[in-house]
Amino acid sequence: MIKHFLSVIALLCLFVSCEKTIKDSSPIKGLITKNAMVVSARAEASKIGSNILKKGGNVFDAMCATQLALAVAYPFAGNIGGGGFMVYRKANGEIGSIDFREKAPLAATKDMYLDENGEVIPEKSTLGAMAVGVPGSIAGIFDIHEKLGSMPIEDIIQPVIDLANKGVIVTKKQARAIREYQPLFPKVNKYPIIFDKRWKENDTIKYPALAKTLERILKFGKHEFYKGETAKILAKFIQENGGIVTEEDLAKYEAIWRTPITFTYDDLKIISMAPPSSGGICLAQIMKMLEPFPLDEFGHNTLKSIQAITEAERRSYADRSFYLGDSDFIKIPVETLIKENYLSGRMAGFSFDQATPSSSVSHGNIQIIESNETTHYSIIDPFGNAIAVTTTLNGAYGSKLYCSELGFFLNNEMDDFSSKPGEPNMFGLIGAEANSITPEKRMLSSMTPTIVEKNNKLYMTLGTPGGSTIITSVLQTILNVHEFNMGMQEAVNAPRFHHQWLPDEIRIEPNAFNKNLIKKLKTLGYSINEKDSPILGKVDGILVLEDNSYEGGADYRGDDTAIGF
Ligand code: DON
């Protein structure tokens, strides 16, 4: 499992251009626009989203186009074979969210990734068809469009079909990512796939098969993916490769509208994702534990700030591992978990004199009363509506299983379940019964698409990939703006650190933190892991400036780009 964890770290490393440093690579101010903005992992996707807005579409139309465009331009994580979450805030202040997370197939069982001795079978939940959860992205797109969109779906999907046919130019980072994962593609796929070729920077990859799939989806709607020819091809393909997803699984899939998690922090109101994502609850817990500390006085990335943030993160991730899972299957004490008196109790044992060892921290005691590789994009439209969407195949190129006939990768989201209590998944996250596998249950996520209000007005929309580090990267970006007075791009650029209870270590971006500071943290009992953390998250966000213009923060750690007008 540690091996998996390290391969995820290697994956994250791909985003980073080693010769680049924060200082020489990224402007401190991001793109500033007056009317609208899209920030996503690829310029092609941001452009398609922005064009939809220019043509008069709203943020939800742009969401549908951007999600599909990322499936074409960013197959590393953009997808129609995966799932995700969207949080929205309309210009009139109305908020909401939709869960289009994958779910376990009907034939899934609690012990499906264990051998006869009860041990986790390496790679079974991460590589190949057995790792695949029932995809949710197409359901999400169509449900969003039906409820909130304003443009004809043809005008939204056609530019993406055109992009797939025309092809996408390979960036330096993308060429490196494909090269890195190429050894795994033949291991999983029976026949050669498009990504086996030695693609170089500036080559153009065309996606005619994906274009055809999208044409059918355009013609027949979401049922094409879940009940039509595409569903038949997909279920057959997964089963021929040893998986268990059936046509019935696809036919039964539904995206779910959910009430977001909301809480206040100083004069901010934070709106984030509810279970089956842990994002909103953990963000609320950490921020509420931090609220009493004068972080602005401590200063950005100073000893005291890092200590306070680390200790809050440690306690929240301990709760995450015990209490959180799919709330449609288990009872989650959400109210208590984010209540101030519960959280102040959790921090009671903390002192600046010494680290709290994770071995002495468990989940908090709550009486449950019976009555239980990813990408993010942020968009604001000219009407003032905002969305935050995080979507994923889980690992880089998901399960690595690529359906050449349909033209897309399938997720390996099943690894986000807890295969065995106490056994870490590929992000080193420990789970318990709450996140055990059950047919049709959704696996616990860390994705944290988040919108922030200030004085009842839209202030920020943001999110990031990064597995378990998602929550803490979103946290630090909000704090960078609110506590440390940074702009959006500066907040995104700033070096990040992460603690997740277990393993008991602070992961920090290499060469970004003062050596003296690291020494002091070590003296206080903190274990520092600088080596395995080339990057923590890849944050894309938009900040509303005082004059009501927008500043984009596109993470220099990837090919992320802000486009707007
Ligand atoms: O839902 C989750 O928390 C994970 N599947 C996210 C995976 C991820 O962020 C990978 N990106 N680096």
Side-chain angles (χ1 to χ4, degrees):
M1 272 299 153
I2 286 294
K3 237 176 32 213
H4 291 156
F5 182 64
L6 291 178
S7 71
V8 170
I9 295 300
L11 167 174
L12 293 171
C13 182
L14 290 167
F15 294 132
V16 181
S17 169
C18 298
E19 33 328 87
K20 280 189 172 184
T21 65
I22 290 161
K23 280 193 197 80
D24 67 20
S25 67
S26 43
I28 291 296
K29 270 272 170 247
L31 175 73
I32 295 186
T33 63
K34 271 265 154 252
N35 300 297
M37 189 175 297
V38 182
V39 192
S40 84
R42 284 288 302 233
E44 293 82 350
S46 298
K47 184 139 193 261
I48 281 186
S50 174
N51 283 346
I52 292 283
L53 299 177
K54 258 193 192 150
K55 284 188 195 146
N58 68 16
V59 80
F60 305 105
D61 300 319
M63 178 278 168
C64 300
T66 307
Q67 173 78 27
L68 292 173
L70 283 167
V72 176
Y74 192 56
F76 186 88
N79 67 81
I80 61 172
F85 302 104
M86 177 184 84
V87 172
Y88 69 86
R89 180 188 184 280
K90 290 206 217 166
N92 65 6
E94 189 186 316
I95 60 167
S97 67
I98 186 166
D99 154 6
F100 50 99
R101 178 73 161 166
E102 300 91 326
K103 64 180 198 175
L106 288 160
T109 58
K110 189 172 174 178
D111 297 339
M112 63 191 276
Y113 298 116
L114 305 184
D115 64 16
E116 59 281 6
N117 301 318
E119 299 302 331
V120 173
I121 302 165
E123 296 183 342
K124 197 171 176 189
S125 66
T126 56
L127 264 189
M130 275 303 282
V132 179
V134 185
S137 293
I138 291 292
I141 290 170
F142 276 87
D143 289 7
I144 290 165
H145 181 258
E146 190 185 330
K147 182 170 165 177
L148 300 162
S150 68
M151 265 179 132
I153 195 79
E154 298 75 42
D155 296 354
I156 293 170
I157 300 185
Q158 193 56 48
V160 182
I161 295 173
D162 296 344
L163 177 71
N165 281 322
K166 185 170 136 246
V168 180
I169 295 173
V170 176
T171 65
K172 186 175 175 182
K173 286 173 186 164
Q174 187 184 11
R176 207 185 303 158
I178 295 172
R179 241 189 341 270
E180 174 77 15
Y181 287 93
Q182 258 170 355
L184 293 175
F185 298 149
K187 218 173 141 177
V188 167
N189 293 283
K190 289 185 189 158
Y191 306 103
I193 66 168
I194 194 168
F195 294 99
D196 289 330
K197 211 179 133 184
R198 297 293 287 174
W199 295 106
K200 302 182 307 297
E201 185 182 2
N202 294 325
D203 284 348
T204 298
I205 311 184
K206 294 185 179 183
Y207 300 96
L210 182 53
K212 281 214 173 69
T213 302
L214 291 173
E215 271 166 20
R216 282 199 309 273
I217 291 173
L218 167 52
K219 205 161 160 194
F220 302 114
K222 107 173 151 181
H223 293 312
E224 168 59 26
F225 190 89
Y226 292 100
K227 292 180 177 162
E229 187 188 342
T230 303
K232 287 192 174 48
I233 297 169
L234 185 55
K236 184 162 170 269
F237 172 77
I238 294 173
Q239 286 165 36
E240 278 171 1
N241 282 281
I244 56 172
V245 174
T246 60
E247 282 184 48
E248 189 186 356
D249 282 313
L250 290 165
K252 285 187 85 170
Y253 185 86
E254 299 275 1
I256 302 173
W257 295 96
R258 297 196 188 269
T259 306
I261 298 286
T262 54
F263 61 96
T264 59
Y265 178 89
D266 295 346
D267 58 350
L268 305 181
K269 178 179 169 192
I270 319 279
I271 304 148
S272 193
M273 196 62 217
S277 179
S278 60
I281 292 179
C282 290
L283 189 63
Q285 286 198 305
I286 298 169
M287 292 191 83
K288 282 298 193 193
M289 284 189 259
L290 288 173
E291 205 174 18
F293 295 92
L295 292 181
D296 52 342
E297 283 170 28
F298 293 166
H300 177 246
N301 282 353
T302 56
L303 182 67
K304 278 188 137 178
S305 279
I306 293 176
Q307 280 189 273
I309 293 170
T310 296
E311 295 299 344
E313 290 175 351
R314 183 199 308 279
R315 286 154 176 82
S316 174
Y317 276 78
D319 277 353
R320 179 195 192 278
S321 78
F322 186 78
Y323 287 112
L324 303 192
D326 182 349
S327 51
D328 292 343
F329 283 72
I330 55 154
K331 176 92 185 132
I332 302 177
V334 180
E335 293 301 316
T336 312
L337 281 169
I338 62 177
K339 236 193 201 132
E340 268 162 52
N341 58 357
Y342 169 72
L343 293 167
S344 57
R346 292 289 281 153
M347 280 302 263
F350 161 60
S351 140
F352 282 108
D353 298 338
Q354 207 185 9
T356 316
S358 286
S359 54
S360 73
V361 174
S362 176
H363 57 85
N365 249 329
I366 298 175
Q367 187 110 41
I368 298 182
I369 299 158
E370 260 334 298
S371 19
N372 182 26
E373 251 128 38
T374 309
T375 187
H376 176 87
Y377 51 98
S378 292
I379 310 181
I380 301 180
D381 71 17
F383 313 105
N385 304 305
I387 58 157
V389 181
T390 314
T391 177
T392 189
L393 290 166
N394 196 22
Y397 308 104
S399 62
K400 320 307 183 252
L401 183 64
Y402 185 79
C403 181
S404 293
E405 190 176 351
L406 298 174
F408 60 87
F409 278 108
L410 288 150
N411 69 81
N412 58 349
E413 218 70 61
M414 290 296 284
D415 189 64
D416 273 347
F417 277 118
S418 173
S419 295
K420 184 182 173 184
E423 197 76 33
N425 75 355
M426 74 172 171
F427 297 106
L429 288 167
I430 311 278
E433 191 53 38
N435 190 31
S436 63
I437 306 171
T438 306
E440 298 204 85
K441 187 174 171 185
R442 278 141 147 100
M443 50 298 279
L444 183 61
S445 173
S446 300
M447 291 190 278
T448 314
T450 299
I451 293 177
V452 182
E453 282 178 13
K454 191 172 178 170
N455 303 325
N456 301 318
K457 278 168 59 187
L458 176 66
Y459 188 45
M460 222 187 287
T461 160
L462 78 164
T464 180
S468 55
T469 70
I470 290 174
I471 301 162
T472 60
S473 295
V474 169
L475 165 79
Q476 288 167 86
T477 311
I478 297 172
L479 293 178
N480 288 348
V481 173
H482 177 73
E483 297 280 4
F484 308 120
N485 275 324
M486 295 184 199
M488 193 76 240
Q489 187 65 53
E490 193 183 0
V492 166
N493 292 354
R496 295 192 277 264
F497 61 94
H498 169 78
H499 197 293
Q500 60 178 51
W501 179 48
L502 295 173
D504 188 353
E505 61 183 22
I506 305 178
R507 280 159 56 191
I508 62 172
E509 286 187 275
N511 309 316
F513 287 78
N514 180 295
K515 296 280 169 244
N516 219 5
L517 175 72
I518 296 175
K519 218 162 119 194
K520 277 192 208 146
L521 282 163
K522 285 184 176 163
T523 314
L524 290 168
Y526 293 95
S527 166
I528 307 293
N529 180 351
E530 192 168 5
K531 277 202 311 285
D532 295 338
S533 311
I535 75 156
L536 299 169
K538 202 160 67 75
V539 178
D540 284 343
I542 306 171
L543 176 68
V544 183
L545 302 177
E546 265 173 29
D547 66 356
N548 289 324
S549 58
Y550 303 121
E551 185 196 352
D555 207 321
Y556 78 96
R557 295 160 179 91
D559 290 319
D560 302 49
T561 309
I563 295 183
F565 55 92

